[in-house]
Structure formats: C-alpha cells, structure tokens
Amino acid sequence: MTGSPFSRRLPGAVGTLRAWGELLRVSALLSVPGDALAGAAAAGFRPGRGTAWAIGASLCLYEAGMALNDWADRDVDAVERPHRPLPSGRVAPGAALGAAGALTVTGLALASRAGRPALAVASALAATVWAYDLRLKHTAAGPAAMATARGLDLLLGALAAGPAEGVRQSPPLTPGAPGGRTGLSATGAGSRAGISAAHRRTGISATAVGSRTGTSGTVADRRTRISSADRRTGIGAVVAGSRPGTSLAAPATTAPARRTAITVLRAAAPAAATLAAHTYAVTAVSRHEAHGGSTAVPLGALATTALLCVLTAETGSSRSGARTRPLTGARTGARPWPPTSTRPRTRTGAPPPPSAAVRDLLGRAMANRITLLLAAAYLRTAARPLLDAALNPSPQLTQRAVGGGIRAMIPLQAALAARSGAPVAGLALLGLAPAARRLARRISPT
C-alpha cells in the first residue's frame, strides 16, 4: 500500500496550518499574557477569573490585528514579501479578513465576561487595532497607535482583575440619642426595583421623620433626592425607628463603578506607559525592516530600552511601600495583592514584633532583587539586536532587532509585575521567554 488517504492529505493540512501560523504570527503570542498579569499586579490585585478572561480577549484581539494587518498589506507584501501567506496564495484574502472579524467579536465577548469597564477598554483596544491596520500604519501616527494598543491591553488586565462595579454595603444602625433604642431598617432588594413605591412618591432618600413622637431622624443629605441611579442600583433608604429618641443613619455607599474604574486605571497607568514606550520604539524600528538603511532609529530605540530598564529597576522605600493599602475588589473572588498590609499589626493594635518587621524587610529586599534581575533580562534581550541593527542597518538585522524587541516584552512585563509586588508572577512570566525564543526560530514574529 502506498499509504492511507489521510496520510496523503497530511502534508497539505500541515502546510495550511503552517500558513495560518505565519499569518497570525503565533510565535509572538507568548508576549501577550503578560499584559494582563502585569496590569493586575500594577493595580494591586491577584490574578483571578477576570484575568483569565482578559488574557483570552487579548489573545483574540492580538491575532485579529495580525490577520487584518496582512489583509491590508497584501498588495505591498506582493512586492516586498511575496513569501507571505496571502501573496503566495496559501491563504485566501477573504479568509484572512473573516478571521480578523471573528477574532475581534470573540475577544470582545470574552472581555464582557470580566465586566463593563473591561469591555469598554477592550472596545477601545479593538478600535485602535483596526484603525492602525487600515489607516494609521503607514503614517507618522503609526507607532503611537501601536503603543496605545499595548498600553490599553495592560489596562484591560487591570480592570478585569479589579472590581466590576461599586461596592454596596448595608449601613450600621446608629442610635440618635444616648441609650435610645434602635428601630427597624429596610434596604432595597433586587437590582432595579430596590426602592419601595412609598419612597418614590415621597422622594425621601434618608431617614424618615417620626411624626408622633416629635423626634426627627438623621438626614444624610437634606438637599438630595432619590435619583434614577439609585433606582438602578437598588440602594434603598433606611426607615427610622418609631421609638422616641431614636434615629437611623442613611445608607453609606462607596464610590460608583466609574470612580472605582478610574482608581484602578490610575494605579496601572505607569506600567501601561512603560510598556507603551517600549512598543513605540520597537514599532519605529519595524518601519525599516523591509529595506533597512536606518541607524538613528535603532539607536533611539536602544536609548529608550536603557532608560526603561533603569526606571523599571528603580527600588527604594518610595516604591516598595507604595502598596501598603491595596485596592479591594467588589466582585466575589477578587482578592487584593498583597493579601495583607505590608506592616501587619497585632490584635491589640500594637506594632508588630521585630521578627515580623525583619521578615517584611527581607521580603522587600528579595522583591527588589528579583525586579532588578528581570529588568536586566529585558535589557539583554532587546539591546544586543538593536545595537547590531544600528551598526549594520541591513534588512535582516533590522528584522532581527524587531523580533528581539517583541520577545523583550516578556521580561519587561515580568519586571513590572515584580516591581508592583508580585515577584512570583514575574518569575513565572519569565519562564515564557525560552519558549518564545524557540518558537521564533520556526515562525518569524515579524
């Protein structure tokens, strides 16, 4: 026998898979999960279910951009890169465009599972990816658009790991007079109809006033009424007790989801800016990989890499103690990171014993050392190819510098996570670097 029908079709199937692997640049995929993990660490959260959704969304949107990029550049690649999957005919242009659309929709669907703030950032990320591939890639705004996309990807991970909505807490019952007895309280139930019909008619959002006893309840805000937002969130009013000399405080609610999202974004903004700056430098170099001939651009990218290495490796009390009051999540399962304060106290409120302080100092020193090592790994991965491209700006060395810059995102993400107080996550991310290097030898990431 000459072989089964399956074995005769296998080479064609392998060729198709390889063509799609080249189209989607799967060797660069390992540079994506670190965005979500670094974002979660920068915002002060441990990775959780939302982080998994964010990683899935990031992978889909990243691959959508790769497919759309080749579809938009199919005419240019026919001249400069005829071996690419679309010009060579191994993948149909319509199939590449359809894959880009399907991956975009899938990515947004996955991001929606992590909450509305995460979906909003994912939508902005998808819009940036499509705008870059279709309009901005060959303009002066191309590197900035690509840098924005990578920064948004890190912010997506920060919001996905953080609270999805504002925290709602039932207020404690506070006596209005010494020795007074507390009355009954009623809170809203449900997500949209939490306020009773009587409250809607009267418009009273604080404690009701006792009419028979001559005593009045405590009013949280005499100038405000129940708004439509209160009806949507289901926050009810607290009814005053009917006993003389008693009153109940108005419900104390935390900041709404919008304010909580802004807090998370502010915490993760420095890490996002660092990753965006590296992406800008690598994208600027990539604009010359087809023809080469640029020395100043690789030198500028090398200077940027060195500066980012120094800034990321910066240690000290101002950095290591920046997360003594971590953010807390409103969604079930969202745990703050670090899980406890960096300066624990005993039950009586007294300062910790010397042994605890020593352990705290040792932990900070170890985290700082890991951050320094990861930052050095980032510099080593990106600097050597950039220097070679600056000394000999040939297309081959320029393309190698771009590939090194893409792989250098992994140790950079690891260093950002360790610097934010998650050294274990940083070391785990660094484990992806050898796999990315081996995979890049088979399929080019550029």
Side-chain angles (χ1 to χ4, degrees), residues 85-268:
L86 265 62
S88 62
R90 291 178 292 160
V91 177
L97 182 60
L103 287 168
T104 300
V105 173
T106 304
L108 294 177
L110 293 175
S112 66
R113 300 296 302 271
R116 284 178 293 181
L119 177 60
V121 174
S123 300
L125 173 58
T128 303
V129 168
W130 281 72
Y132 171 81
D133 287 333
L134 298 180
R135 294 292 182 184
L136 302 178
K137 181 179 180 180
H138 300 290
T139 67
M146 183 63 73
T148 301
R150 184 64 78 158
L152 287 174
D153 198 33
L154 188 143
L155 296 179
L156 170 61
L159 287 173
E165 57 185 356
V167 182
R168 305 172 189 171
Q169 295 179 349
S170 299
L173 305 181
T174 57
R181 297 180 61 184
T182 305
L184 299 176
S185 64
T187 58
S191 59
R192 296 183 179 272
I195 302 175
S196 63
H199 292 152
R200 295 193 186 95
R201 289 195 299 268
T202 58
I204 300 175
S205 60
T207 307
V209 178
S211 59
R212 297 184 179 181
T213 61
T215 59
S216 61
T218 303
V219 180
D221 191 347
R222 301 179 186 275
R223 294 173 297 177
T224 59
R225 300 288 183 178
I226 293 178
S227 62
S228 58
D230 293 332
R231 296 189 180 96
R232 288 195 301 269
T233 56
I235 301 176
V238 179
V239 184
S242 58
R243 300 283 183 175
T246 63
S247 63
L248 300 181
T253 59
T254 61
R258 181 180 66 256
R259 188 172 302 174
T260 304
I262 292 176
T263 303
V264 173
L265 292 176
R266 286 178 178 175

Side-chain angles (χ1 to χ4, degrees), residues 66-425:
M66 293 299 180
L68 185 64
N69 174 79
D70 274 31
W71 180 85
D73 288 349
R74 60 191 185 280
D75 295 333
V76 177
D77 289 342
V79 178
E80 297 180 351
R81 296 180 173 184
H83 61 279
R84 292 294 299 168
L86 265 62
S88 62
R90 291 178 292 160
V91 177
L97 182 60
L103 287 168
T104 300
V105 173
T106 304
L108 294 177
L110 293 175
S112 66
R113 300 296 302 271
R116 284 178 293 181
L119 177 60
V121 174
S123 300
L125 173 58
T128 303
V129 168
W130 281 72
Y132 171 81
D133 287 333
L134 298 180
R135 294 292 182 184
L136 302 178
K137 181 179 180 180
H138 300 290
T139 67
M146 183 63 73
T148 301
R150 184 64 78 158
L152 287 174
D153 198 33
L154 188 143
L155 296 179
L156 170 61
L159 287 173
E165 57 185 356
V167 182
R168 305 172 189 171
Q169 295 179 349
S170 299
L173 305 181
T174 57
R181 297 180 61 184
T182 305
L184 299 176
S185 64
T187 58
S191 59
R192 296 183 179 272
I195 302 175
S196 63
H199 292 152
R200 295 193 186 95
R201 289 195 299 268
T202 58
I204 300 175
S205 60
T207 307
V209 178
S211 59
R212 297 184 179 181
T213 61
T215 59
S216 61
T218 303
V219 180
D221 191 347
R222 301 179 186 275
R223 294 173 297 177
T224 59
R225 300 288 183 178
I226 293 178
S227 62
S228 58
D230 293 332
R231 296 189 180 96
R232 288 195 301 269
T233 56
I235 301 176
V238 179
V239 184
S242 58
R243 300 283 183 175
T246 63
S247 63
L248 300 181
T253 59
T254 61
R258 181 180 66 256
R259 188 172 302 174
T260 304
I262 292 176
T263 303
V264 173
L265 292 176
R266 286 178 178 175
T274 301
L275 199 60
H278 172 78
T279 305
Y280 186 98
V282 174
T283 307
V285 176
S286 70
R287 296 163 74 90
H288 303 275
E289 63 179 344
H291 303 286
S294 176
T295 300
V297 176
L299 282 178
L302 180 60
T304 301
T305 301
L307 178 61
L308 293 178
C309 176
V310 172
L311 294 177
T312 304
E314 180 185 1
T315 58
S317 59
S318 60
R319 293 295 180 184
S320 59
R323 297 178 58 184
T324 56
R325 302 183 66 181
L327 299 172
T328 55
R331 188 175 58 246
T332 303
R335 296 174 294 175
W337 180 259
T340 58
S341 174
T342 57
R343 295 197 62 185
R345 306 185 72 87
T346 60
R347 293 182 178 179
T348 59
S355 58
V358 170
R359 288 196 301 268
D360 184 41
L361 290 176
L362 291 177
R364 292 186 182 184
M366 182 61 67
N368 291 338
R369 182 169 298 182
I370 292 175
T371 302
L372 181 61
L373 293 176
L374 293 174
Y378 158 67
L379 181 63
R380 182 179 180 273
T381 304
R384 180 63 183 272
L386 288 173
L387 182 60
D388 293 341
L391 296 176
N392 182 13
S394 63
Q396 181 180 3
L397 292 181
T398 303
Q399 185 176 359
R400 186 178 300 174
V402 175
I406 295 175
R407 289 186 287 106
M409 291 183 183
I410 298 176
L412 179 57
Q413 295 159 347
L416 292 173
R419 187 190 185 200
S420 300
V424 176

